Amino acid sequence: MTAHLAHLVRHPIKSVGHEDITGALLDEGRAMPFDRLWAISHAEARFDGPLTEWTAKRNFVRGAAAPGLMAVSARMLDDGRIELTHPELRPLTVDPDRAEDQTRLIAWLAPLWPANRPAPRRVERVPGVTLADASEPYVSILSLASLEALSAATGAPMSRHRFRGNLWVEGWAPWAERDLVGRRLRIGAAELEVATPITRCRATCANPETGTEDVDTLAALKALHGDTLFGLYATVTRGGEIARGDTVEIL
C-alpha cells in the first residue's frame, strides 16, 4: 500500500481540545498552523507576568494532570473564535484573546481540574511561538498501523486523539516510523525532516471519549519496545500545501 496522509489534526489551545481538518499550509521552520497558539498557565507556573517566550509544559494545565481534559473537542470558527465541547459540560464558544472570554474559559475548565492541583490562572499566548511540549517548532507525525498494533497489544481499540498528533500516516508497516529519524519525507507540496521520536506521558492513558483513564499505554509501549516512544517530531524544510489523501514519500 502506498502511504498517504489519512488525518490532519490541530489543537488551538494546548491540552484543551483537538480538531480534525482537511488540509493545511505548512511554512518552512514553523509548526502546524493554529496548533497550540494558546496555553493555560496554572497558579504555580514559574513566571509571574504574561508569558513572553516558550516555556516548559510543567507550567500549564495538561491532560497528564487532569484526564478529563482529554475528552475536549475543539472547532475554530470563521471569525477566529473556538467552540469547545465535552461530554459532561455545556458547549462553550470563546475568543481566547478577549479577557472576558479567558475568564469564561478558565471557569468552564474548573469541573475538569483536580482540586489538589494548582488552579488554572491565565490564558497565555506568545506571538509567533507555538506553546507545544517541545521548544522547537515541530510538526508531529504518527502511524495508524502502529496505533492498531498498540491497540492489539492492550486488547482495547484506541482513538488516535490520545496522542495529540498533527499528521497521521496510513500505509506504513507497524513501527516502521521508528527507523525514520534523520530521513526526509515529502507530503503534498511540503517536505519535512524527521528530528526525534516523541516520548509519551500519562495523558495517553485517558480515553478521549470519556476523559477517564482506561488503558496503561506507557506500560504497553514498554512491554513492546522497552521505552515509551510513540510517533515522530519533524521539522518543515520546504513549505507547501498538504491535504488529506496526499501521498507520503520517504526521500
Side-chain angles (χ1 to χ4, degrees), residues 12-247:
I13 305 172
K14 179 183 179 70
S15 300
V16 185
H18 55 266
E19 179 183 20
D20 285 294
I21 58 176
T22 58
L25 174 61
L26 298 185
D27 289 327
E28 182 177 340
R30 301 294 296 273
M32 185 85 163
F34 301 103
D35 193 62
R36 279 90 168 182
L37 284 185
W38 296 273
I40 300 172
S41 59
H42 56 66
E44 294 185 4
R46 298 183 182 181
F47 55 92
D48 295 325
L51 193 61
T52 59
E53 59 185 3
W54 181 90
T55 190
K57 62 184 180 182
R58 63 176 176 267
N59 294 294
F60 303 111
V61 302
R62 296 184 297 130
L69 292 178
M70 297 297 289
V72 179
S73 296
R75 184 168 70 96
M76 291 197 73
L77 306 179
D78 291 342
D79 61 6
R81 294 182 301 158
I82 301 173
E83 181 183 70
L84 300 171
T85 58
H86 186 279
E88 297 179 358
L89 302 176
R90 294 172 62 91
L92 178 73
T93 300
V94 293
D95 177 349
D97 287 329
R98 297 179 70 236
E100 53 267 50
D101 282 5
Q102 293 174 0
T103 300
R104 293 172 58 229
L105 173 57
I106 289 173
W108 188 78
L109 293 174
L112 305 177
W113 193 250
N116 63 345
R117 296 276 186 171
R121 69 172 187 185
R122 187 170 58 236
V123 178
E124 310 287 351
R125 182 177 184 181
V126 183
V129 174
T130 299
L131 297 174
D133 288 357
S135 59
E136 295 83 355
Y138 289 140
V139 173
S140 57
I141 303 174
L142 301 93
S143 165
L144 286 176
S146 296
L147 178 63
E148 291 175 5
L150 183 60
S151 295
T154 63
M158 289 191 289
S159 166
R160 55 192 164 83
H161 293 305
R162 286 181 187 259
F163 295 93
R164 300 298 193 188
N166 295 136
L167 309 181
W168 284 89
V169 177
E170 186 172 30
W172 286 342
W175 312 115
E177 71 276 14
R178 285 178 163 251
D179 297 324
L180 293 180
V181 175
R183 301 293 298 273
R184 290 186 301 121
L185 307 175
R186 180 181 293 129
I187 305 175
E191 293 184 8
L192 303 94
E193 182 173 334
V194 178
T196 184
I198 303 172
T199 300
R200 291 300 172 175
C201 70
R202 191 158 189 86
T204 60
C205 298
N207 188 323
E209 294 184 2
T210 64
T212 58
E213 292 187 349
D214 60 357
V215 177
D216 193 339
T217 54
L218 305 184
L221 286 168
K222 286 182 180 179
L224 287 167
H225 302 289
D227 57 43
T228 57
L229 305 177
F230 190 88
L232 306 166
Y233 281 134
T235 301
V236 179
T237 56
R238 176 181 174 183
E241 293 276 358
I242 61 172
R244 196 165 56 200
D246 281 347
T247 297

